[in-house]
Amino acid sequence: MEENVRTGRCVVAVDGPSGSGKSTVSRRLAAGLGARYLDTGAMYRAVTWAVLRSGVDLADVESVAKVAGEVELRIGTDPQGYGVTVDGAQVDAEIRGPEVTGAVSAVAAVPAVRAMLVARQREMIAHAGRMVVEGRDIGAVVAPDADLKVYLTASAAARAQRRSAEDAADVAATAADLARRDRLDSTRRVNPLQQAPDAVELDTTELGIDEVVARLRELLTERGVA
């Protein structure tokens, strides 16, 4: 991908709940822009995997923060194929498993964990200069000066259908889990899931991936940073 990376700052913040299309849209947009891609959710999942592996109690925030501070986390930023390692071990598949999915909201709610990862994310954005970043608090907290802030939404039914198709899981069970995560992520005390005041909200329920990406390219062109 190196030869496709362009120059000129362009930071796009893509927020929204699970199943809204953030990951697929962000990767495809980054590839089209010749930009880097950062999945901040994968960072929280990787730390959660490390916490679960350590055996500490998820309710023990000091121990959770200690594990997060000691772990060696590396994440790629190539939209065509990024990898995540924890202490040198490749964990791309492991961090998407049900155990991590069930615990990640609790780990992500620990203030010290968020402070560490937000600092790391800001450093990566500054270094890349041209990057599409996806998560739940990017436009409001991580990159408040992004060139474009987008909040992707979709109906609960559409989100459950998409996620269950990805995971080959029961739709009803997936819908219940998404509702649980929405509740936890939206009500956590530090940096909850939220839409930045100046973000463009885009409902993807009836839109295909290409349509969403095309709309974001239009918005970037309007801002003169595509």
Side-chain angles (χ1 to χ4, degrees):
M1 162 153 177
E2 294 295 339
E3 66 277 5
N4 190 40
V5 175
R6 302 173 197 165
T7 58
R9 183 185 187 278
C10 178
V11 176
V12 181
V14 183
D15 291 301
S18 298
S20 57
K22 294 193 310 294
S23 296
T24 304
V25 166
S26 296
R27 286 197 304 269
R28 196 168 298 182
L29 179 62
L33 292 173
R36 293 297 180 182
Y37 160 71
L38 179 59
D39 178 357
T40 63
M43 298 175 74
Y44 286 101
R45 284 176 171 272
V47 170
T48 300
W49 181 83
V51 169
L52 292 172
R53 183 185 60 170
S54 74
V56 305
D57 185 347
L58 293 180
D60 184 349
V61 295
E62 291 185 359
S63 294
V64 169
K66 184 174 186 294
V67 172
E70 294 175 349
V71 71
E72 183 184 351
L73 168 64
R74 294 186 180 279
I75 181 167
T77 58
D78 183 340
Q80 304 291 2
Y82 68 99
V84 184
T85 64
V86 174
D87 294 332
Q90 200 79 27
V91 295
D92 297 75
E94 289 82 355
I95 65 174
R96 302 297 173 182
E99 188 179 14
V100 170
T101 297
V104 65
S105 290
V107 173
V110 176
V113 172
R114 297 204 73 81
M116 281 185 273
L117 291 187
V118 167
R120 175 85 177 273
Q121 291 154 13
R122 287 174 173 166
E123 181 181 343
M124 294 176 74
I125 293 168
H127 179 73
R130 194 171 182 86
M131 179 175 271
V132 178
V133 191
E134 62 139 312
R136 284 165 165 70
D137 62 348
I138 310 305
V141 176
V142 178
D145 59 345
D147 298 286
L148 172 64
K149 302 176 188 177
V150 183
Y151 191 86
L152 298 186
T153 65
S155 70
R159 292 168 53 213
Q161 287 284 354
R162 292 169 183 171
R163 185 49 57 88
S164 62
E166 291 175 3
D167 300 338
D170 177 74
V171 176
T174 300
D177 185 60
L178 289 179
R180 177 189 66 82
R181 291 185 61 194
D182 286 349
R183 183 175 63 257
L184 291 173
D185 292 343
S186 300
T187 59
R188 65 175 175 244
R189 184 168 59 85
V190 180
N191 301 350
L193 166 65
Q194 60 182 313
Q195 178 177 340
D198 54 346
V200 176
E201 182 174 334
L202 186 58
D203 190 326
T204 67
T205 303
E206 302 294 336
L207 298 176
I209 296 300
D210 290 340
E211 292 175 294
V212 178
V213 173
R215 177 57 181 147
L216 300 190
R217 293 294 297 265
E218 290 174 2
L219 291 169
L220 285 167
T221 298
E222 291 172 5
R223 288 162 170 73
V225 290

